[in-house]
Amino acid sequence: MAFAKHWHRAHQHAQQEAAAQEALVHLQTAYAQVTVPVLDDLARRTPGNQTKHRYARHLQQAAPEHADRILQGPAWDALATVLTDAETAGHNPTNLFDQAIGQRTLDDARNPARALTWRIHHLGQRHAPGLRAQAAMASAATHTATLTGQHVPSGNRRIAFPL
């Protein structure tokens, strides 16, 4: 709707621009009515500080230009919860986080933490890799490291969020 409004403004279609603006307001109101209770519930289940700090460190590395806004935003606790839920389901939260950031820019997001929450929630709904698949990925990483001459301590073979 925002694009339609902009397009009609650029082409001097005043009535269509006004209609697009009105539709945008209605969609934003409906979105808030549906999402605010869900985000509030997620925020109430936020993980512990140690887990949130782990996620925050990766966020600062993966999206430094958005990290402060996300960490200070009201949806940060909800985002941390969906990352924890995905990790519990067997997903690698680092990979999910990177996928969510890579899906689309956060530059135009009014609330980047909320946008990432929904993206990660959706990605987390996909089938998580089983234990065999996780073991195979760890084995492949070790094999690749061996071929390239890198040392991979046994404690670092686990597929998990980096500390």
Side-chain angles (χ1 to χ4, degrees), residues 50-152:
Q50 184 177 7
T51 301
K52 286 173 59 175
H53 288 303
R54 238 183 339 129
Y55 297 152
R57 282 194 300 274
H58 182 70
L59 168 65
Q60 289 165 336
Q61 293 171 353
E65 65 280 8
H66 300 288
D68 288 339
R69 248 179 96 198
I70 291 170
L71 294 170
Q72 303 300 320
W76 166 240
D77 287 340
L79 175 56
T81 300
V82 297
L83 283 166
T84 300
D85 289 349
E87 186 171 24
T88 300
H91 288 282
N92 180 327
T94 302
N95 291 345
L96 285 179
F97 193 74
D98 292 342
Q99 284 179 323
I101 289 174
Q103 281 181 342
R104 185 174 163 212
T105 182
L106 293 171
D107 293 338
D108 59 349
R110 289 188 331 173
N111 186 328
R114 190 171 58 195
L116 287 174
T117 298
W118 297 124
R119 292 177 194 177
I120 290 170
H121 177 73
H122 176 72
L123 291 168
Q125 297 299 311
R126 294 181 179 169
H127 179 65
L131 293 176
R132 282 179 146 171
Q134 290 179 17
M137 288 185 288
S139 176
T142 303
H143 180 70
T144 301
T146 302
L147 291 175
T148 60
Q150 298 174 348
H151 173 70
V152 179

Side-chain angles (χ1 to χ4, degrees), residues 36-58:
V36 168
V38 175
L39 289 169
D40 287 348
D41 181 57
L42 288 169
R44 278 191 286 280
R45 298 187 302 111
T46 192
N49 285 334
Q50 184 177 7
T51 301
K52 286 173 59 175
H53 288 303
R54 238 183 339 129
Y55 297 152
R57 282 194 300 274
H58 182 70

Side-chain angles (χ1 to χ4, degrees), residues 9-46:
R9 179 184 301 141
H11 290 86
Q12 299 177 350
H13 301 155
Q15 284 183 315
Q16 291 88 345
E17 178 187 352
Q21 174 61 35
E22 187 175 337
L24 179 62
V25 169
H26 288 298
L27 286 172
Q28 288 172 336
T29 300
Y31 176 82
Q33 288 174 347
V34 171
T35 61
V36 168
V38 175
L39 289 169
D40 287 348
D41 181 57
L42 288 169
R44 278 191 286 280
R45 298 187 302 111
T46 192

